[in-house]
Amino acid sequence: MYLKRHDPEMASLIEKEYERQQDTINLIASENYVSQAVLQTAGSCLTNKYAEGYPDKRYYAGCSFVDQAEQLAINRCKELFGAQHANVQPHAGSQANMAAYMALLEPGDTILGMNLMAGGHLTHGHPVNFSGKWFKAMQYGVHKDTEELNFEEIASLAAKHKPKLIIAGTSAYSKIIDFRKFKAIADSVEAYLLADIAHIAGLIAAKLHPSPVGLADVVTSTTHKTLRGPRGGIILSTKEHEEKIDKTIIPGMQGGPLLHIIAAKAVAFKEAMDPLFVTYQKQVLLNAKTLAKSLHQKGYRIVAGDTENHLLNVDIRNKRIKGFMAQEALERAGIIVNKNCIPFDPEKPWIASGIRLGTPAITSRGMGKSEMEEIAYLIDMVLTNHQDHIMIRTVKERVLQLCKLFPIPRTWDEVIINDCLKTVIEAIPVN
Ligand SMILES: Cc1ncc(COP(=O)(O)O)c(C=O)c1O
């Protein structure tokens, strides 16, 4: 209301973005819809406060309430993940990684991380990123035949290059990550182990994916993907690294913390501690499995054969369409995905031979098995008829109907009122 009066131009853009989110099926694996409680906290008066430092050790006066808010976030984060120490100040996942590297390494040290083209992240040593510029970055990938993490390659690269830090974490990988294997390799060369759980943090919090906490020296994460919190980062560590990590964040690389976001992280951590959050994450996994199975039945090759988490990479080469064209055609039909390289992709990243699909956002809307089957059908209709405008329009109409049936939930637990989650959900075993 106020915004509309004071800045109608911006108010209109926000309104349009809200409508876009309501009216499209969001399969971006790294996105989600936060609750109104998280949204309200992120838009609160805490945004006005400067509070450089940490609770009870600030450079500014007037911090008594924000001190309590940050302490609440720290306590909840430690409890949620069973960590000895939590720093909740990183502005994003990339800043969390930067701080962790700066705490453990010197410029020029060797690091070993996953190649972006195989499913890793830019901050894991890509040459255009700070991580590849400041450090001597070695990169590992996946097996050519199984498309799963290539632990023989990781072990042999570690033995040859003696990295000071090994990074275990992925952005586009659909299988369980065996952190124990990473730990054994790191120990064999006396390297630090950093687990970047940005994508799978919600699954780990729900105990549906093995946790690296207690194994890795440092664990970094975003808070806005499967964890369904505000945009931001966190760093978990053992007591041993607590001081180094905290000092690297401030005064090392950040200024004032975003207290409104830190408070919103605390709200999200509380939501994630509720048993219903586990129900939600189980449905995320089931939905990803159903989507993978349905697409496979329609002749699509799922990278690595299947999914064991919230996302799947789909090789679309046999449908005679490139990743960027698929992304564009699907967007015209109201289905939002991102093009993605498949392992050993002959195409450049902006062309790509695949698409990456994730289920956290549509599961937050309450969609279940039958919607996944239908979405696979709709995706297939678009990809096999991407030049047929009438077909695209027909799919878009059905997408709109589905979106109206499953509006973005206002409260974190509203989603469980939905019929699809009322059904008994089979427990998914934790590996
Ligand atoms: C594994 C991984 N680490 C770090 C990041 C960076 O997070 P942010 O975009 O918040 O900087 C991402 C983001 O996609 C990611 O997938």
Side-chain angles (χ1 to χ4, degrees), residues 349-363:
W350 55 87
I351 305 281
S353 298
I355 50 176
R356 185 185 69 162
L357 310 178
T359 54
I362 48 175
T363 308

Side-chain angles (χ1 to χ4, degrees), residues 23-241:
D23 293 345
T24 52
I25 289 176
N26 182 6
L27 296 172
I28 304 280
S30 48
E31 292 183 8
N32 213 329
Y33 306 111
V34 298
S35 67
Q36 285 291 322
V38 169
L39 213 49
Q40 193 182 347
T41 313
S44 70
C45 67
L46 271 62
T47 197
N48 299 331
K49 189 71 198 99
Y50 239 114
E52 281 181 3
Y54 291 101
D56 300 324
K57 283 174 274 170
R58 307 283 191 188
Y59 290 92
Y60 289 82
C63 290
S64 57
F65 299 115
V66 293
D67 273 2
Q68 291 175 57
E70 182 167 347
Q71 196 55 55
L72 202 52
I74 292 169
N75 295 348
R76 286 179 183 170
C77 187
K78 281 164 65 176
E79 189 185 337
L80 183 64
F81 291 102
Q84 290 176 357
H85 178 63
N87 187 308
V88 294
Q89 291 196 6
H91 299 332
S94 299
Q95 277 67 40
N97 283 343
M98 187 186 276
Y101 301 168
M102 280 176 65
L104 300 174
L105 307 170
E106 296 298 329
D109 278 346
T110 302
I111 60 172
L112 175 58
M114 191 178 197
N115 195 317
L116 180 79
M117 294 288 279
H121 188 256
L122 277 172
T123 56
H124 296 179
H126 194 281
V128 301
N129 184 260
F130 79 90
S131 55
K133 292 183 186 211
W134 296 354
F135 306 107
K136 200 170 152 216
M138 298 298 145
Q139 300 264 273
Y140 61 83
V142 292
H143 268 293
K144 205 156 191 152
D145 43 356
T146 62
E147 296 174 314
E148 294 192 13
L149 280 166
N150 188 341
F151 282 101
E152 291 84 54
E153 183 191 26
I154 299 167
S156 86
L157 284 170
K160 186 167 169 204
H161 298 287
K162 300 273 183 293
K164 196 162 165 195
L165 174 76
I166 297 178
I167 303 146
T170 61
S171 292
Y173 183 70
S174 64
K175 294 305 191 80
I176 298 275
I177 300 173
D178 190 339
F179 292 112
R180 282 166 308 183
K181 282 191 181 162
F182 273 107
K183 174 69 175 156
I185 294 171
D187 282 350
S188 72
V189 294
E190 291 178 21
Y192 290 122
L193 177 63
L194 181 149
D196 178 347
I197 60 168
H199 261 267
I200 52 175
L203 299 172
I204 289 175
K207 300 194 169 32
L208 296 170
H209 186 293
S211 173
V213 175
L215 277 176
D217 296 279
V218 177
V219 178
T220 58
S221 183
T222 57
T223 45
H224 47 267
K225 303 183 204 279
T226 49
L227 197 51
R228 210 166 62 182
R231 308 200 70 76
I234 50 168
I235 306 177
L236 311 172
S237 71
T238 53
K239 276 250 165 256
E240 186 196 343
H241 299 299

Side-chain angles (χ1 to χ4, degrees), residues 298-370:
K298 293 180 182 354
Y300 292 85
R301 193 182 78 80
I302 309 300
V303 171
D306 195 7
T307 176
E308 295 171 339
N309 60 22
H310 63 298
L311 67 82
L312 46 138
N313 296 305
V314 189
D315 179 349
I316 53 174
R317 285 175 300 180
N318 67 347
K319 301 289 172 179
R320 297 178 203 288
I321 181 168
K322 306 283 185 202
F324 81 100
M325 289 159 69
Q327 175 182 310
E328 188 270 330
L330 286 164
E331 182 164 9
R332 274 189 282 130
I335 300 173
I336 309 298
V337 309
N338 67 281
K339 60 179 180 287
N340 215 91
C341 282
I342 57 167
F344 310 99
D345 202 323
E347 301 292 351
K348 296 265 184 272
W350 55 87
I351 305 281
S353 298
I355 50 176
R356 185 185 69 162
L357 310 178
T359 54
I362 48 175
T363 308
S364 286
R365 291 180 87 137
M367 293 187 189
K369 187 169 183 285
S370 60

